[in-house]
């Protein structure tokens, strides 16, 4: 499914489980490298950052919270001067929230992004903030478990500890490659959008470290 959002001279296209026809139409409209088009049609197990022609192509995997467990969801980003294309293969709730905010800013005349790179940065900050919020939820669950253990409920807490431990493990495993990808993105994006863009990448890296 293809959803198109517009804001000033910027276009954000969100692809969910894209069809070959949808990808071919975008390849024609934005003159995408055929290799990118091919990769958008299938999941990838590897993160990457590279420049191909007039766009940056980025693949990242995010832990998506489900209760107090997490599963990995892949998001592919195609970042151009006037376009951002996101491709995903499952529902990603923070992207739905971002889309609502994106449309609201457009209606209210409060849009701040001036090119696809800025929009990518805003999206990454939003995705990481959703993970920070869930991490805080896990922290509260750990405190509750600790309180119950000290009240003599150790046996009942075994399953809870196992669930929380798995969630923390899944988060760490999914996010581990992000630091290397963001560090490698800074010089590539700097050459593409200008050296000052490195500041924005650093701000995302700071949120990631949180």
């Amino acid at each position: 499914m293809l959803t198109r959002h517009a804001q000033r001279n910027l276009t954000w296209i969100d692809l969910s489980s894209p069809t070959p026809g949808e990808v071919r139409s975008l390849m024609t409209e934005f003159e995408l490298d055929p290799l990118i088009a091919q990769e958008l049609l299938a999941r990838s197990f590897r993160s990457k950052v590279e420049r191909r022609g007039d766009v940056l192509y980025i693949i990242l995997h995010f832990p998506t919270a489900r209760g107090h467990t997490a599963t990995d969801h892949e998001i592919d980003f195609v970042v151009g001067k006037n376009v951002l294309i996101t491709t995903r293969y499952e529902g990603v709730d923070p992207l739905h929230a971002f889309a609502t905010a994106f449309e609201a800013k457009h209606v209210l005349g409060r849009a701040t992004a001036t090119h696809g790179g800025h929009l990518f940065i805003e999206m990454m900050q939003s995705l990481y903030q959703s993970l920070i919020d869930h991490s805080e939820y896990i922290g509260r669950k750990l405190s509750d478990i600790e309180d119950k253990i000290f009240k003599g409920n150790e046996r009942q807490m075994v399953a809870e500890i196992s669930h929380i431990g798995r969630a923390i493990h899944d988060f760490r495993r999914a996010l581990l490659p992000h630091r290397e990808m963001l560090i490698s993105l800074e010089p590539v994006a700097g050459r593409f959008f200008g050296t000052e863009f490195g500041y924005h990448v650093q701000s995302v890296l700071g949120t990631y470290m949180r």
Side-chain angles (χ1 to χ4, degrees):
M1 184 175 71
L2 185 153
T3 306
R4 187 181 294 255
H5 306 271
Q7 191 179 90
R8 295 181 181 173
N9 63 333
L10 267 176
T11 300
W12 167 32
I13 296 170
D14 184 38
L15 287 169
S16 177
S17 300
T19 65
E22 289 170 338
V23 172
R24 279 196 302 271
S25 70
L26 294 180
M27 185 174 68
T28 301
E29 181 178 357
F30 298 105
E31 300 181 347
L32 298 181
D33 187 316
L35 291 176
I36 292 180
Q38 182 178 350
E39 291 197 53
L40 292 180
L41 290 170
R43 301 170 190 266
S44 173
F45 295 103
R46 293 175 53 248
S47 300
K48 70 166 60 177
V49 172
E50 59 187 24
R51 179 173 179 175
R52 292 204 186 153
D54 292 330
V55 299
L56 303 178
Y57 183 45
I58 303 156
I59 300 176
L60 293 171
H61 296 84
F62 292 83
T64 301
R66 292 286 184 267
H68 43 244
T69 62
T71 55
D72 292 5
H73 285 178
E74 175 186 339
I75 305 178
D76 293 18
F77 304 87
V78 180
V79 189
K81 294 292 177 64
N82 297 309
V83 65
L84 172 64
I85 300 170
T86 52
T87 302
R88 53 199 171 81
Y89 308 93
E90 298 93 2
V92 180
D93 292 341
L95 278 187
H96 296 307
F98 185 84
T100 301
F102 183 88
E103 295 291 349
K105 286 181 180 179
H106 175 63
V107 171
L108 297 173
R110 296 178 181 174
T112 56
T114 59
H115 55 63
H118 287 150
L119 188 56
F120 168 76
I121 292 295
E122 289 183 9
M123 186 176 290
M124 289 294 293
Q125 293 284 18
S126 179
L127 289 166
Y128 283 148
Q129 186 58 54
S130 72
L131 296 181
I132 290 172
D133 293 343
H134 192 70
S135 295
E136 292 172 352
Y137 165 79
I138 289 177
R140 292 192 297 271
K141 290 291 293 184
L142 286 171
S143 295
D144 291 343
I145 289 171
E146 185 177 24
D147 290 342
K148 290 176 181 177
I149 287 174
F150 280 113
K151 290 177 181 177
N153 298 319
E154 300 96 332
R155 190 180 300 275
Q156 296 93 320
M157 289 298 100
V158 170
E160 287 290 325
I161 291 171
S162 176
H163 291 318
I164 292 292
R166 180 59 184 267
I168 293 172
H169 173 267
D170 290 344
F171 263 60
R172 291 175 64 89
R173 178 176 50 80
L175 289 174
L176 189 61
H178 284 223
R179 182 175 182 272
E180 181 182 349
M181 293 299 103
L182 290 172
I183 290 173
S184 65
L185 173 65
E186 185 175 355
V188 176
R191 289 190 294 270
F192 193 68
F193 292 113
T195 55
E196 72 282 357
F197 192 73
Y199 166 80
H200 299 293
V201 178
Q202 283 294 322
S203 71
V204 171
L205 184 58
T207 307
Y208 161 78
M209 295 305 294
R210 286 179 60 199

